[in-house]
Amino acid sequence: GENVEQHPSTLSVQEGDSAVIKCTYSDSASNYFPWYKQELGKRPQLIIDIRSNVGEKKDQRIAVTLNKTAKHFSLHITETQPEDSAVYFCASSNTGGFKTIFGAGTRLFVKA
Amino acid sequence: DVKVTQSSRYLVKRTGEKVFLECVQDMDHENMFWYRQDPGLGLRLIYFSYDVKMKEKGDIPEGYSVSREKKERFSLILESASTNQTSMYLCASSLIQGVRYSDNEQFFGPGTRLTVL
């Protein structure tokens, strides 16, 4: 079946450095790619999303890139801060359907 | 502000018990979802519903059933709980599947940590 692979599973960076999380999806019909952040003990919340007709989207310190040909998409966080520490989930879905498939998650540690 | 609530934060049940997990959203969302979250496995979809009384199986429906009698409420039922159903259960809702970015965002509840002994 369809799946989303996410790497790395754990990422540790120094405050101020950049962090990159990569995902690969298998369903070529996917056209919507959200990223969710889950802080410890809290619910996942959407932080940024992108559609297949766009190659890159930026929102302050976070950006997402999409390579539809290679079925890759990535989350980039610049100037990381301790409050960026969380688990990040990538996901893919087809807006014509209802099923969103999540990656396994990346635990990001930002060391002060 | 979208609010998704779940009936319990923590639940302890015995093997073989029937378990009900309830989820309520207050934003008139069409779609509702039940996921289970396990370390290293991410969020796996159990069931979803796109309308009242409508339901579709997700990736791991075995051992679960759902009920959506009212638009705002989506219940997950474990007919006979087993130890391998010990997990964190997350409910989510979204407006519709549409062309606007905002249509697709899923809003999650706080989760129910279920332990089956």
Side-chain angles (χ1 to χ4, degrees):
Chain A
E2 298 92 1
N3 73 316
V4 174
E5 291 190 6
Q6 182 171 349
H7 299 281
S9 56
T10 307
L11 180 60
S12 186
V13 300
Q14 206 65 40
E15 182 178 2
D17 287 351
S18 295
V20 180
I21 302 169
K22 299 184 179 182
C23 290
T24 305
Y25 62 98
S26 61
D27 184 2
S28 54
S30 295
N31 58 7
Y32 173 67
F33 306 92
W35 286 86
Y36 287 82
K37 174 184 179 182
Q38 186 177 29
E39 296 176 14
L40 191 63
K42 296 194 174 176
R43 65 193 80 189
Q45 290 192 291
L46 181 75
I47 55 170
I48 194 167
D49 51 11
I50 192 169
R51 286 187 184 273
S52 56
N53 57 351
V54 176
E56 184 174 355
K57 187 178 176 184
K58 206 169 177 180
D59 183 4
Q60 298 183 1
R61 295 187 298 107
I62 59 172
V64 57
T65 58
L66 171 65
N67 181 333
K68 206 159 193 274
T69 304
K71 295 183 189 170
H72 290 166
F73 58 114
S74 300
L75 179 72
H76 305 253
I77 307 174
T78 58
E79 299 169 29
T80 53
Q81 300 166 5
E83 52 263 39
D84 294 329
S85 295
V87 178
Y88 292 81
F89 293 100
C90 63
S92 73
S93 73
N94 178 347
T95 53
F98 300 91
K99 216 166 141 180
T100 298
I101 300 172
F102 286 83
T106 295
R107 187 172 292 279
L108 173 65
F109 296 97
V110 180
K111 295 176 285 188
Chain B
D1 194 25
V2 177
K3 204 157 186 190
V4 181
T5 57
Q6 294 182 228
S7 50
S8 306
R9 290 301 303 270
Y10 300 94
L11 210 51
V12 180
K13 295 291 181 181
R14 298 233 171 250
T15 302
E17 278 193 83
K18 190 168 186 174
V19 183
F20 292 87
L21 303 182
E22 301 240 303
C23 175
V24 177
Q25 50 94 3
D26 67 356
M27 284 301 290
D28 204 33
H29 281 176
E30 308 291 334
N31 304 324
M32 296 189 76
F33 309 84
W34 275 106
Y35 297 92
R36 66 176 279 176
Q37 182 175 16
D38 299 290
L41 297 177
L43 301 169
R44 292 182 293 165
L45 182 64
I46 305 171
Y47 268 96
F48 63 95
S49 168
Y50 53 89
D51 202 352
V52 175
K53 295 194 187 293
M54 305 304 287
K55 59 187 179 185
E56 293 284 341
K57 292 180 181 179
D59 297 314
I60 50 165
E62 296 78 19
Y64 304 94
S65 62
V66 291
S67 171
R68 192 161 180 207
E69 296 296 318
K70 293 185 177 181
K71 192 175 184 180
E72 67 271 19
R73 189 178 298 267
F74 192 35
S75 301
L76 180 70
I77 303 148
L78 288 66
E79 294 290 341
S80 177
S82 63
T83 54
N84 62 13
Q85 292 178 308
T86 291
S87 187
M88 170 67 85
Y89 290 88
L90 287 166
C91 173
S93 71
S94 69
L95 186 57
I96 55 173
Q97 298 296 112
V99 296
R100 296 178 305 179
Y101 275 97
S102 58
D103 294 344
N104 298 280
E105 178 179 356
Q106 292 191 25
F107 295 86
F108 286 85
T112 295
R113 185 165 293 283
L114 173 67
T115 302
V116 183
L117 302 174

